[in-house]
Every structure is written in structure tokens, then in C-alpha cells.
Amino acid sequence: MTETMAPLRKTALNAVHRAAKSKMVDFGGWDMPVDCCGLIAEHMAVRTAVGVFDVSHMGDIQLRGPGSLAAVQHLCMNDASKLAVGQAHYSAMLYPNGTFVDDVVVHKLSDNDYLIVINAGTREKDVQWVRRTIGHMPGVHVNDFSDYYTQLAIQGPRAAETLQKLTPTDLSTIKNYWFTWGQVCGLYNVMIARTGYTGEDGFEIYIPSDEPTSARVWGEVLEAGAEFGILACGLGARNTLRLEAGMALYGHEISDTINVFEAGLGRYAKLDKPEFVGRAALLEVQAAGGPGRKLVGLEMIERGIGRDGYTVFSIDGKRLGEITSGSPSPFLKKNVAMAYVPGEYTALDTEVAVEIRGQMVKAKVVPLPFYKRAKKSA
């Protein structure tokens, strides 16, 4: 008997992507564009001008009520008590053993109201985890608003100029990882966040998820950015951009088998908080002298591309680990990768070998991130 496959879920912009002849793929059960205008062209548009991404497959969980801060504090490893209204921060939900349920961005909407943006590929699992972990806590209501919004990411050095044409809100007043509400494309009370997953300046906007509104705003963003060379971008460019920026992807650099210290994300785990899920396990790792392996950046020295899942060896042939993400870097014109290796192989310029189609190809340990955008001069 043939097993029936569940149909792929679609964002409100699915018909727009298909009409534009974008290359579509199954991404975590979603029918998503991986390539709209060519990966390299899209990547370079974001690094040098502006690109727009449909990221409506991301999830949105709202915690509301007088117990919402206590719930966020128990659920996530960063310290939400330090957030001001209108501020966001990077965080993660952990299992009791200190490994990742998912990495998230927490937004403080008001003193009793928080929005947690979660990853698309882990959406259902995350929602179930949140309900199971904090659903019993007093004074907090958990709502999954994931399907209520179309989320667009406008990214790149010309992102602010592009979006400014579409809103009376002064975008220069929104600092990195802050947000506000304003009018965008004639829509009121749109959340405008200075966040992103590309290593560039940019904004994410949350608009109603009906198809006509989503298609209209998508088109107006492309029209506003036309003078800057804006391109519609797919998940392929999003992946190479975040790799250059050294950003983690669930199932690659972070997972339920990788702990916070191994992933190099300990700075976001506020162990001085009284309690959160996974804290005790992280304290044990710390007390034992830290993790035995760590995430490093690799740059290929010899000709070859280290791809996801390729094995990393020491120069004398000892198996060290695997590449978690690897690709040519369109902007840096180098072949780069991230991998987990034992602590004694993490020093900068340490040479290792990557097995590529049966051949050992040399690489060296380099700092993360591979790319860091230049700060604007005052």
C-alpha cells in the first residue's frame, strides 16, 4: 500500500513565486522558492544593494498575560527581563540536557506581551514544546499566530532607503534588534523590525497573510527597490548569506545533539538567571571544563568545496568530525564551511583535511564570522 504524502504548505505568495518562474523546493514541508533570479545574483544584491525574501513560513508564538515574563524566562536561555518595550534579542529554547529545541528571536511587545519568532522546519515541534513547557504556568496565554502574518525580509545596505519609500515611519530611529509599529504600503499597525538572517542591515515586516495584500506589498517593495537593483531572493541565497555571516541553522550548527557551548553561543545563555530549562546541564558542562568539541570556521586551502556532511580529518588521518554547512562564498570568492572539531584542533590556522569524493583536501581554521559588514561611519 502506497503511503500518502501530506501536501506541501504554501505561503500567501506561492502563486506569485510560481508566476515568476522561481525554482521551488520542499523546505520543511513548505513549498518555498530556493532560487528566484539566480543564487549568486541574489546573494550579491543583498551584500551590495538590497534583496527581499518571503519568510512567511517562520512561526510566531505570542505569550500574553501577567505571567508572560516568567514564562519566557523559564522557556528561553537569554534574559528577557533586560528587554525594553520595542526591543528584541536572540535566544534559544533548550532541552533539559542543554541541547537545542530551536533558536529564536524574542520581541517584547509590552510588559505582559512577548512574541517569539521560531524556525519554519521546527514549527509544530516548537509550538508543542512551548505549550508543554509553560502551558501549566499561571497568568500566561500561549497563542500560535504563525498563519496570521506574511513576513517579508528586506535586507542589504539599501534596505532602509527601499522601505522608507513605503512608510512614513522614520526608519533611522529603529536601532538594530528593535522594532516599532507603523503604516507600510497603506496598511496600519504593521510591525517593522530591524532584524534579519543575512549579516546585513535590514528589516522584517509583518503584514496580513491574505493573498491579495501579500502580493500587493511584495510588488510595491520590488518597485520601491528597483532603482537600487533589488532582487527577489530565495532560500538558497539566504543560506549562503547566513553561512558567510557565521549564523547557525537548525539541523546543522544547532540540534538536539549539540549543546550551547559547543555551538559557540554561550554568550546568549544567561546562567546568572535563577532558572531556565537546560541551565543545570550547562553549568555541569562548564564545571567539567567546557565542551570537548567546538564549532569552527574552515577555509579551503586546496581546490575543493567542503559540503554539508563531509568528514573532517586531522592531517595525520584522524577523524575529527563533519562539516555542518559548506559552500562557495559568492562575496568573498572563497570556499568556506563550518564544522565541529575537538578542542585541540580549534586554534586559528590549524590545518585539517576534508574528504571530498575520496580525496583529502586541505583546509585551515579561520575566525567566525567569515563576513562582517563594515560599520557606518558617523
Side-chain angles (χ1 to χ4, degrees):
M1 196 170 171
T2 306
E3 185 180 345
T4 304
M5 296 291 289
L8 294 180
R9 300 182 70 179
K10 298 177 181 179
T11 74
L13 288 166
N14 186 269
V16 172
H17 300 316
R18 290 198 167 275
K21 301 286 193 289
S22 297
K23 182 180 178 183
M24 307 295 284
V25 296
D26 176 353
F27 181 79
W30 288 82
D31 190 33
M32 295 296 293
V34 68
D35 184 329
C36 301
C37 309
L39 186 153
I40 293 175
E42 294 167 25
H43 184 112
M44 294 303 290
V46 173
R47 284 281 176 260
T48 63
V50 61
V52 59
F53 301 80
D54 173 15
V55 290
S56 308
H57 57 320
M58 302 287 282
D60 306 295
I61 301 173
Q62 188 175 26
L63 308 184
R64 177 178 284 177
S68 57
L69 175 59
V72 173
Q73 291 289 70
H74 176 64
L75 184 68
C76 298
M77 67 181 187
N78 208 333
D79 188 356
S81 72
K82 301 290 176 65
L83 289 175
V85 173
Q87 188 177 15
H89 68 197
Y90 180 82
S91 190
M93 301 185 294
L94 307 179
Y95 291 109
N97 66 356
T99 65
F100 291 87
V101 178
D102 196 11
D103 63 340
V104 302
V105 177
V106 178
H107 304 70
K108 183 173 182 176
L109 307 182
S110 74
D111 286 339
N112 296 319
D113 198 350
Y114 293 82
L115 178 70
I116 302 175
V117 177
I118 59 176
N119 285 304
T122 54
R123 216 164 102 166
E124 281 69 31
K125 177 196 78 171
D126 286 1
V127 172
Q128 291 172 10
W129 176 258
V130 170
R131 293 192 186 282
R132 191 162 67 245
T133 304
I134 63 171
H136 64 283
M137 295 181 70
V140 61
H141 297 279
V142 179
N143 290 295
D144 177 10
F145 288 134
S146 303
D147 294 329
Y148 286 58
Y149 300 104
T150 287
Q151 184 179 342
L152 303 184
I154 303 155
Q155 302 283 298
R158 311 303 290 270
E161 292 168 90
T162 298
L163 184 57
Q164 192 63 78
K165 293 182 180 183
L166 304 173
T167 177
T169 300
D170 183 357
L171 300 178
S172 69
T173 64
I174 307 173
K175 293 179 285 190
N176 193 39
Y177 270 77
W178 287 72
F179 62 93
T180 191
W181 285 267
Q183 185 181 342
V184 178
C185 296
L187 301 169
Y188 291 90
N189 298 317
V190 171
M191 185 167 144
I192 307 168
R194 200 159 202 156
T195 51
Y197 189 52
T198 62
E200 291 298 334
D201 187 21
F203 297 85
E204 292 176 304
I205 59 173
Y206 298 73
I207 61 174
S209 62
D210 63 281
E211 290 187 22
T213 300
S214 301
R216 177 176 69 82
V217 173
W218 177 263
E220 289 184 25
V221 170
L222 287 173
E223 187 178 337
E227 70 168 292
F228 310 122
I230 193 172
L231 290 181
C233 300
L235 296 180
R238 195 164 183 252
N239 187 54
T240 53
L241 288 158
R242 71 93 195 165
L243 172 58
E244 284 184 347
M247 293 176 163
L249 175 63
Y250 194 87
H252 294 251
E253 290 72 42
I254 58 175
S255 74
D256 58 4
T257 64
I258 296 166
N259 72 49
V260 172
F261 293 127
E262 290 174 327
L265 296 172
R267 62 192 179 280
Y268 299 108
K270 304 306 181 184
L271 299 175
D272 52 350
K273 282 204 308 183
E275 179 274 340
F276 60 87
V277 179
R279 178 178 179 269
L282 295 182
L283 287 172
E284 287 180 16
V285 172
Q286 204 174 53
R293 60 174 182 166
K294 290 184 179 179
L295 186 70
V296 297
L298 296 179
E299 181 184 312
M300 302 305 298
I301 300 171
E302 297 177 333
R303 185 167 181 169
I305 302 168
R307 301 282 189 185
D308 305 14
Y310 284 12
T311 306
V312 180
F313 292 87
S314 65
I315 294 300
D316 58 7
K318 177 184 174 184
R319 188 186 189 282
L320 302 179
E322 286 187 352
I323 286 177
T324 56
S325 299
S327 166
S329 161
F331 186 76
L332 301 174
K333 307 294 190 289
K334 298 174 181 177
N335 295 329
V336 298
M338 292 190 280
Y340 280 100
V341 298
E344 59 267 32
Y345 293 89
T346 60
L348 295 182
D349 295 320
T350 299
E351 290 194 2
V352 296
V354 178
E355 185 177 11
I356 303 176
R357 293 189 291 276
Q359 300 294 316
M360 292 299 183
V361 181
K362 281 187 178 180
K364 67 177 180 179
V365 175
V366 296
L368 287 172
F370 304 105
Y371 167 84
K372 195 170 185 179
R373 65 184 169 98
K375 290 186 177 180
K376 289 183 179 178
S377 54

